[in-house]
PDB file of all heavy atoms in Angstrom:
ATOM      1  N   PRO A 301      11.737  72.322  76.438  1.00 93.00           N
ATOM      2  CA  PRO A 301      10.375  72.486  76.108  1.00 93.00           C
ATOM      3  C   PRO A 301      10.148  72.311  74.557  1.00 93.00           C
ATOM      4  O   PRO A 301      10.955  72.705  73.705  1.00 93.00           O
ATOM      5  CB  PRO A 301      10.074  73.912  76.483  1.00 93.00           C
ATOM      6  CG  PRO A 301      11.131  74.166  77.549  1.00 93.00           C
ATOM      7  CD  PRO A 301      12.386  73.449  77.120  1.00 93.00           C
ATOM      8  N   ILE A 302       9.052  71.762  74.230  1.00 94.00           N
ATOM      9  CA  ILE A 302       8.677  71.517  72.803  1.00 94.00           C
ATOM     10  C   ILE A 302       8.197  72.880  72.337  1.00 94.00           C
ATOM     11  O   ILE A 302       7.266  73.529  72.858  1.00 94.00           O
ATOM     12  CB  ILE A 302       7.600  70.478  72.609  1.00 94.00           C
ATOM     13  CG1 ILE A 302       8.063  69.202  73.174  1.00 94.00           C
ATOM     14  CG2 ILE A 302       7.225  70.361  71.136  1.00 94.00           C
ATOM     15  CD1 ILE A 302       9.274  68.600  72.395  1.00 94.00           C
ATOM     16  N   GLN A 303       8.801  73.409  71.269  1.00 93.00           N
ATOM     17  CA  GLN A 303       8.455  74.784  70.704  1.00 93.00           C
ATOM     18  C   GLN A 303       7.573  74.642  69.473  1.00 93.00           C
ATOM     19  O   GLN A 303       6.752  75.514  69.302  1.00 93.00           O
ATOM     20  CB  GLN A 303       9.838  75.453  70.330  1.00 93.00           C
ATOM     21  CG  GLN A 303      10.700  75.756  71.488  1.00 93.00           C
ATOM     22  CD  GLN A 303      11.953  76.450  70.982  1.00 93.00           C
ATOM     23  OE1 GLN A 303      12.288  76.449  69.805  1.00 93.00           O
ATOM     24  NE2 GLN A 303      12.731  76.813  71.990  1.00 93.00           N
ATOM     25  N   THR A 304       7.699  73.595  68.697  1.00 93.00           N
ATOM     26  CA  THR A 304       6.921  73.481  67.490  1.00 93.00           C
ATOM     27  C   THR A 304       6.355  72.104  67.325  1.00 93.00           C
ATOM     28  O   THR A 304       6.975  71.085  67.564  1.00 93.00           O
ATOM     29  CB  THR A 304       7.762  73.856  66.192  1.00 93.00           C
ATOM     30  OG1 THR A 304       8.373  75.130  66.411  1.00 93.00           O
ATOM     31  CG2 THR A 304       6.844  73.836  64.954  1.00 93.00           C
ATOM     32  N   LEU A 305       5.034  72.051  66.954  1.00 94.00           N
ATOM     33  CA  LEU A 305       4.312  70.799  66.680  1.00 94.00           C
ATOM     34  C   LEU A 305       3.561  71.012  65.303  1.00 94.00           C
ATOM     35  O   LEU A 305       2.835  71.896  65.226  1.00 94.00           O
ATOM     36  CB  LEU A 305       3.428  70.291  67.770  1.00 94.00           C
ATOM     37  CG  LEU A 305       3.892  69.577  68.947  1.00 94.00           C
ATOM     38  CD1 LEU A 305       2.859  69.322  69.916  1.00 94.00           C
ATOM     39  CD2 LEU A 305       4.571  68.241  68.498  1.00 94.00           C
ATOM     40  N   LYS A 306       3.734  70.082  64.384  1.00 93.00           N
ATOM     41  CA  LYS A 306       3.053  70.160  63.168  1.00 93.00           C
ATOM     42  C   LYS A 306       2.744  68.754  62.558  1.00 93.00           C
ATOM     43  O   LYS A 306       3.666  67.873  62.591  1.00 93.00           O
ATOM     44  CB  LYS A 306       3.880  70.958  62.035  1.00 93.00           C
ATOM     45  CG  LYS A 306       3.922  72.464  62.255  1.00 93.00           C
ATOM     46  CD  LYS A 306       4.748  73.097  61.171  1.00 93.00           C
ATOM     47  CE  LYS A 306       4.679  74.621  61.433  1.00 93.00           C
ATOM     48  NZ  LYS A 306       3.375  75.230  61.351  1.00 93.00           N
ATOM     49  N   TYR A 307       1.488  68.516  62.182  1.00 92.00           N
ATOM     50  CA  TYR A 307       1.061  67.386  61.414  1.00 92.00           C
ATOM     51  C   TYR A 307       1.428  67.689  59.943  1.00 92.00           C
ATOM     52  O   TYR A 307       0.849  68.632  59.298  1.00 92.00           O
ATOM     53  CB  TYR A 307      -0.365  67.153  61.555  1.00 92.00           C
ATOM     54  CG  TYR A 307      -0.788  66.411  62.858  1.00 92.00           C
ATOM     55  CD1 TYR A 307      -1.244  67.108  63.955  1.00 92.00           C
ATOM     56  CD2 TYR A 307      -0.629  65.046  62.920  1.00 92.00           C
ATOM     57  CE1 TYR A 307      -1.549  66.521  65.102  1.00 92.00           C
ATOM     58  CE2 TYR A 307      -1.017  64.406  64.094  1.00 92.00           C
ATOM     59  CZ  TYR A 307      -1.520  65.063  65.202  1.00 92.00           C
ATOM     60  OH  TYR A 307      -1.834  64.464  66.309  1.00 92.00           O
ATOM     61  N   LEU A 308       2.298  66.797  59.419  1.00 91.00           N
ATOM     62  CA  LEU A 308       2.731  66.958  58.031  1.00 91.00           C
ATOM     63  C   LEU A 308       1.810  66.252  57.043  1.00 91.00           C
ATOM     64  O   LEU A 308       2.136  65.300  56.406  1.00 91.00           O
ATOM     65  CB  LEU A 308       4.178  66.459  57.805  1.00 91.00           C
ATOM     66  CG  LEU A 308       5.259  67.008  58.829  1.00 91.00           C
ATOM     67  CD1 LEU A 308       6.645  66.425  58.393  1.00 91.00           C
ATOM     68  CD2 LEU A 308       5.218  68.512  58.701  1.00 91.00           C
ATOM     69  N   THR A 309       0.576  66.802  57.040  1.00 85.00           N
ATOM     70  CA  THR A 309      -0.438  66.232  56.077  1.00 85.00           C
ATOM     71  C   THR A 309      -0.447  67.090  54.839  1.00 85.00           C
ATOM     72  O   THR A 309      -0.504  68.330  54.928  1.00 85.00           O
ATOM     73  CB  THR A 309      -1.791  66.319  56.826  1.00 85.00           C
ATOM     74  OG1 THR A 309      -2.063  67.605  57.193  1.00 85.00           O
ATOM     75  CG2 THR A 309      -1.824  65.362  57.983  1.00 85.00           C
ATOM     76  N   PRO A 310      -0.374  66.439  53.713  1.00 79.00           N
ATOM     77  CA  PRO A 310      -0.477  67.267  52.427  1.00 79.00           C
ATOM     78  C   PRO A 310      -1.825  67.865  52.270  1.00 79.00           C
ATOM     79  O   PRO A 310      -2.807  67.414  52.759  1.00 79.00           O
ATOM     80  CB  PRO A 310      -0.158  66.159  51.367  1.00 79.00           C
ATOM     81  CG  PRO A 310      -0.611  64.865  52.006  1.00 79.00           C
ATOM     82  CD  PRO A 310      -0.378  64.942  53.445  1.00 79.00           C
ATOM     83  N   SER A 311      -1.725  69.037  51.532  1.00 68.00           N
ATOM     84  CA  SER A 311      -2.964  69.741  51.214  1.00 68.00           C
ATOM     85  C   SER A 311      -3.786  69.159  50.074  1.00 68.00           C
ATOM     86  O   SER A 311      -4.870  69.618  49.851  1.00 68.00           O
ATOM     87  CB  SER A 311      -2.733  71.228  50.934  1.00 68.00           C
ATOM     88  OG  SER A 311      -1.869  71.207  49.847  1.00 68.00           O
ATOM     89  N   SER A 312      -3.295  68.126  49.420  1.00 54.00           N
ATOM     90  CA  SER A 312      -4.080  67.532  48.347  1.00 54.00           C
ATOM     91  C   SER A 312      -3.738  66.046  48.335  1.00 54.00           C
ATOM     92  O   SER A 312      -2.931  65.514  49.071  1.00 54.00           O
ATOM     93  CB  SER A 312      -3.505  68.091  46.917  1.00 54.00           C
ATOM     94  OG  SER A 312      -2.142  67.872  46.705  1.00 54.00           O
ATOM     95  N   ARG A 313      -4.489  65.338  47.579  1.00 43.00           N
ATOM     96  CA  ARG A 313      -4.468  63.858  47.534  1.00 43.00           C
ATOM     97  C   ARG A 313      -3.349  63.302  46.671  1.00 43.00           C
ATOM     98  O   ARG A 313      -3.149  62.121  46.457  1.00 43.00           O
ATOM     99  CB  ARG A 313      -5.750  63.204  47.085  1.00 43.00           C
ATOM    100  CG  ARG A 313      -6.862  63.484  48.093  1.00 43.00           C
ATOM    101  CD  ARG A 313      -8.105  62.747  47.691  1.00 43.00           C
ATOM    102  NE  ARG A 313      -9.119  63.004  48.766  1.00 43.00           N
ATOM    103  CZ  ARG A 313     -10.401  62.412  48.659  1.00 43.00           C
ATOM    104  NH1 ARG A 313     -10.677  61.639  47.614  1.00 43.00           N
ATOM    105  NH2 ARG A 313     -11.254  62.715  49.588  1.00 43.00           N
ATOM    106  N   SER A 314      -2.598  64.271  46.039  1.00 45.00           N
ATOM    107  CA  SER A 314      -1.478  63.865  45.127  1.00 45.00           C
ATOM    108  C   SER A 314      -0.153  63.609  45.909  1.00 45.00           C
ATOM    109  O   SER A 314       0.928  63.781  45.326  1.00 45.00           O
ATOM    110  CB  SER A 314      -1.243  64.935  44.086  1.00 45.00           C
ATOM    111  OG  SER A 314      -0.885  66.171  44.706  1.00 45.00           O
TER     112      SER A 314
END
Side-chain angles (χ1 to χ4, degrees):
I302 302 297
Q303 297 176 350
T304 305
L305 275 178
K306 285 185 179 296
Y307 279 96
L308 303 184
T309 54
S311 60
S312 61
R313 294 186 178 181
S314 61

